[in-house]
Amino acid sequence: MRNRFVATVAVASVAALGLAACGSSNTPTEPGAAPNTSLATTAGGAGGEVGVFTWWAAGSEKAGLDALEKLFKEKYPNDTFVNLAVAGGAGSNAKAKLASDLQNNQPPDSFQGHAGAELADYIDNEQILPVNDVITALGGESVFPKNLLDRLTVDGNIYSVPSNIHRANVVWANTAVLKKAGINAVPKDIKAWMADMDKVKASGVATPLSVAGSWTQLQLFETVLISDLGPEKYGGLFDGKTAWDSPEVKTAAADYKKLLTYANTASDGDDWPVATDMVIDGKAAYNVMGDWAVAEFAAKGKKEQTDYQYFPVPGQDGVFDFLADSFTLPKGAKNPGGTKDWLMLIGSAEGQKAFNLAKGSIPARTDVPASDFPPYQQSAMEAFKSNTIVSSIAHGAAVSLAWNADMTTAISKFYTTKDDATLVTDLVAAAKKNLG
Ligand code: GAL
C-alpha cells in the first residue's frame, strides 16, 4: 500500500485549493441531486441535527467536547448538537463502532480522526469528502501551520479540520515522590531514567512507572523507539527506510521490556486516567502520556511544579511526538450543511481557545494568543514551533488503522509473554503486511 502520509503534497497555496464553494449560498437541492455540500452561510446555522462522533466521553476529554458543544449552541442556534461519543481512550472502542457505521452507510455528520496515516484509510475507502472550502474560509495557510496542513493534505485535497495538536512523548512525574527518592534532575536517556526508577523503588514506591491498557503500552513503546532510534531513523520505520529488526529496534524492545519491570500490572481495559491518577496519587513516580494528561492534573486541583512536573521522554529533548485530532465530513452525512457549521466552529480561533484550554492540547491555529494558556501549553506551543516533529504510532499519525491494530496486538501479546525477540518478529511481520 502506498504510504500516503509520507507522500505529502507541498501546500504551496491552500488558497488555490477548491475555493468555488466559499461563501456560496444555500442553493436548494433538486430532488435526486447530490446533497448541497457547499459552505453554509445561513446566519445561525443550517438547521437540523448534527451528530458528532468522538471518544471524548468522560473526564477532562468530555470537558473539552462540552466546551465546544456550548459554543456551537451559541453560534449556531438553528442546529441541534447530538453527542455520539463512545467511551474508551484513543478510540479503543469507538473505532470499531465507527467502522461498522461507515460500512453500513450510516455515517455520523462528523467524526474525530487523526491527521496523517489514519485519515488516509478513510480517504482510500472514499468514506470522507474534501473540506478545502472550509479550510480556506477559516484562513488556510495564514492561520494553520504549513507542516500541519501538509500532514492533512492528500493528493492536493484536505479532508479534515484540525481542532488541536497533542504531544505524545511527555513524562508526567510526581514532585513529592521524586523528592523523596532524591531525584532532582531530568535523566538524559532511557538507561539513566531506569537508574532513577531504581532510586524510586528504593524509596518505597513499588511501581515507579504507571501503565494502563494496550494502547497506552503502544504509546510508551513508540517513545522508547524515538529515544533509541532518534527522530530520523524512527521516521524511516514508516516508509521502509529503517528495518524493524535493526539493532536499534532490538535495543528499544529490550529497553521496553526492562521498563515494564518497573510498572504496575495493568488490565487491558484500564483507560489512561487509571495510569495518570497513579502519579497524581503518589502510587507511581512517572507516567508517559499524551498531554491530555495535564487536564487530568488540573481537574484534580494539582499544581504544576508543586505537585507535578513534566519533561520529554528521556533521550528526546527537542523532539515533539505529534498527533492532531481533526474532524471530517463523511460521504453520505445526513446534514452536510450542519457538518460545515461544526467544522467552522472547531476551526475558529474562539472554538480552538475554548476546546484546548479544557483539553490540554494546543490550538492547531497560530493566531490564538499563547498568553491565554497556562504554562504547560505555552511550553508545548514553543516546542511545536522549534522541535523536530515526529508522528505518533498509537494515535494515527504515523500508521494506518490496520497497522496500528497489528502493532497493538503485538504489544498486547508481549505484555503477557515478555518475549522481546518475538515482539521484534511480530513488528517485522506487521510492517511487511502493511507497508507492502
Ligand atoms: C487520542 C486523542 C486525544 C485523546 C487521547 C486519549 O487518540 O487524539 O485527543 O482523546 O486519544 O483518549
Side-chain angles (χ1 to χ4, degrees), residues 55-56 61 88-92 95 112-114 118 163-164 166 215 219 271-273 289-290 292 323-326 355 359 361 392 394-396:
W55 52 85
W56 296 329
E61 304 196 314
S92 42
K95 284 178 182 171
Q112 171 189 3
H114 288 120
E118 181 182 299
S163 52
N164 60 315
H166 269 303
W215 72 262
Q219 186 181 323
D271 208 351
W272 68 268
M289 189 46 60
W292 43 92
L323 63 124
D325 296 300
S326 60
F355 175 67
K359 187 71 165 50
S361 38
S392 170
H395 303 285

Side-chain angles (χ1 to χ4, degrees), residues 243-246 249-250 403 407 410 421-435:
W244 278 90
D245 54 1
S246 63
V249 173
K250 288 180 180 162
W403 196 350
M407 288 189 70
T422 303
L423 174 60
V424 172
T425 312
D426 288 348
L427 294 172
V428 169
K432 186 155 187 265
K433 178 174 151 203
N434 291 286
L435 258 181

